[in-house]
Amino acid sequence: MNLLASLLPAPSHTSFRERARACSGAILALLITGLLCRYLLPNEPSHLFLVGPMGASAVLLFCLPASPLAQPWSVIGGNVLSGLVGAACVRWLGDSVPVAALAVALAIGAMFVLRCLHPPGGAVALTVVMGGPALHAAGFEFPLVPVLINSLMMVAVAILYNNLTGRRYPHLQQPAHANPHATQDPVPTLRLGFKPEDLDAVLKQYNQVLDVSRDDLEEIFLKTEMRAYQRRFGVISCGDIMSKDVATAEFGTELEKAWHDMRAHKVAALPVLNRARRVIGIVTQSDFLDHSGLDDYRSVTQKLRRFLRRTGVTHTEKAEVVGQIMTTSPATATLSTPIIDLVPLMADAGFHHIPVVDEEQRFAGIVTQSDLVAALYESRLAN
């Protein structure tokens, strides 16, 4: 019994909702692709308007949309390339079982070279070789009609469906961790923990194809580190450390008043709230400096005064109120958000102030870098 259990894969941690989402996407994609191709390709020589490997492609597109094997180029390039390899093998070597095996092997090699590895591609190559006289007669046309058309339609549905249901697709490789201050230093979270080159070295040593993108794997490791930190030092939430008596602004707050409020309270940012006290933006000292054109240090004072002063006219291109210069849709946290979740935002992404909202999405306070540093220090000191 233990041997049998060891042969089974680990239990899936996906929720019922995610499983239902994947199943629904596969049904929708195959229905749309099959019905449209049946309408568009009534006289296709092989009498095939939907090829079997599309079922396998559907599994990847909707169950594993983040997988490198499920990206648009992998699906389209892998299926079509494998079909072309299979057609070439049939034309030059015949349709025997050894030729079928060779076609699959050559298709895998070609997909490796062109970086479009897609497991159903092997099934496409096998189908072309072993599919009988009709497919053999179609020759190099079959990889284009219907394989290419099927693949394009499946990818199109996957792009629409996955994004509408909360899954980023295509799952583009994220850029390297750029320093927000435009220096060559690595971002703070990479200075003590593992570095991208450490992960690259381990992946090279592992030397196997992974069904997860490199940047996703890195994010998983970082989140695992954060969870381990919480388990060791306890969970501190934003509601525990946030500042509650906070100076704020409204969309229509005059620039001069907002600037004076920031100076009076010695803060570098003001959350911008609507009348329901929901966060609609944040205005920082950087916003004032960026919009006032302070490119000549000798005239900073004059330019800033001119920028803050009202023009006194009803129509002007000059910004008059906070809403015209604020950063809209700022990053926010909830009262229960663990402060460790804010570390990447503040340390790596360059955020200095994170507004905190309650369960009704109303403004409750703000967490600054100073609050975060003090809380992390106290938590380590206590342990």
Side-chain angles (χ1 to χ4, degrees), residues 45 55 60 81 104 129 189 259 265 284 299 373:
L60 289 169
L81 179 63
V104 174
V129 178
T189 56
W259 178 262
H265 292 280
T284 67
S299 59
V373 170

Side-chain angles (χ1 to χ4, degrees), residues 238-239 242 279 332-336 342 354-358 362-367:
C238 291
M242 69 181 184
V279 179
T332 61
T334 66
L335 291 170
S336 59
L342 304 186
I354 305 292
V356 181
V357 298
D358 61 19
R362 289 187 170 85
F363 178 72
I366 195 167
V367 175

